[in-house]
Amino acid sequence: MYISILFSRAIQSISDIYLDLGLNLYGYFAPGVEWLTLIPVFGLYPAFTIIYLNYFPFKSSLLKKCIYIILYSICATIFEWLSVKSGYFYYNHWKLWYSAIIYPGLLIILPFNLYILRRIIKLEYHISNKK
């Protein structure tokens, strides 16, 4: 899980560097670097990743996985909309529907990343037990 959190954190950081600081499409609280930004970056986003991956239906049908991803995408979009309304997040040239389109792709990458990590760990375990 920690590696998955770091992976999602890396994606979020890269996105923010280019889309927020570089292109000024959106931001947190106020333009520029804000200390308050650390709250969602190190609090909300890792918590979301843990909850999302802990309940992801890895052994269920493709339909259930798709429904799960769609529901979490809707929740993330609603959370973003509420964040904009509350002033925690602001848009310059960004639109909410951009995020609504991007969320499913990101939410597909996270469980795939965890699946690959688990396979690597399992393979390493089998290799180390053969020695």
Side-chain angles (χ1 to χ4, degrees):
M1 280 297 178
Y2 292 118
I3 296 171
S4 294
I5 290 169
L6 291 173
F7 177 76
S8 68
R9 179 71 188 96
I11 291 173
Q12 190 263 329
S13 291
I14 292 167
S15 299
D16 283 352
I17 288 168
Y18 286 100
L19 301 177
D20 177 7
L21 300 175
L23 299 173
N24 197 29
L25 297 178
Y26 61 78
Y28 301 92
F29 301 106
V33 178
E34 291 278 327
W35 287 102
L36 283 174
T37 303
L38 296 176
I39 295 169
V41 167
F42 290 107
L44 293 174
Y45 298 141
F48 175 84
T49 301
I50 289 172
I51 292 168
Y52 174 73
L53 290 175
N54 271 331
Y55 292 104
F56 190 84
F58 283 101
K59 296 183 181 187
S60 296
S61 68
L62 181 61
L63 178 62
K64 283 187 180 180
K65 290 175 186 174
C66 289
I67 290 170
Y68 186 81
I69 290 167
I70 290 168
L71 289 175
Y72 262 86
S73 297
I74 291 168
C75 288
T77 305
I78 291 169
F79 179 78
E80 184 173 321
W81 178 76
L82 290 171
S83 297
V84 170
K85 293 297 178 189
S86 69
Y88 147 75
F89 199 65
Y90 65 89
Y91 295 147
N92 287 328
H93 305 290
W94 192 258
K95 305 285 183 218
L96 183 64
W97 67 270
Y98 298 165
S99 297
I101 291 170
I102 291 170
Y103 282 132
L106 293 173
L107 294 174
I108 289 169
I109 292 170
L110 287 176
F112 181 71
N113 177 61
L114 183 58
Y115 172 77
I116 296 297
L117 290 170
R118 287 177 175 168
R119 297 285 301 209
I120 291 169
I121 291 168
K122 190 175 182 180
L123 181 64
E124 286 181 352
Y125 176 77
H126 288 300
I127 291 171
S128 67
N129 282 340
K130 287 183 179 181
K131 292 182 179 180

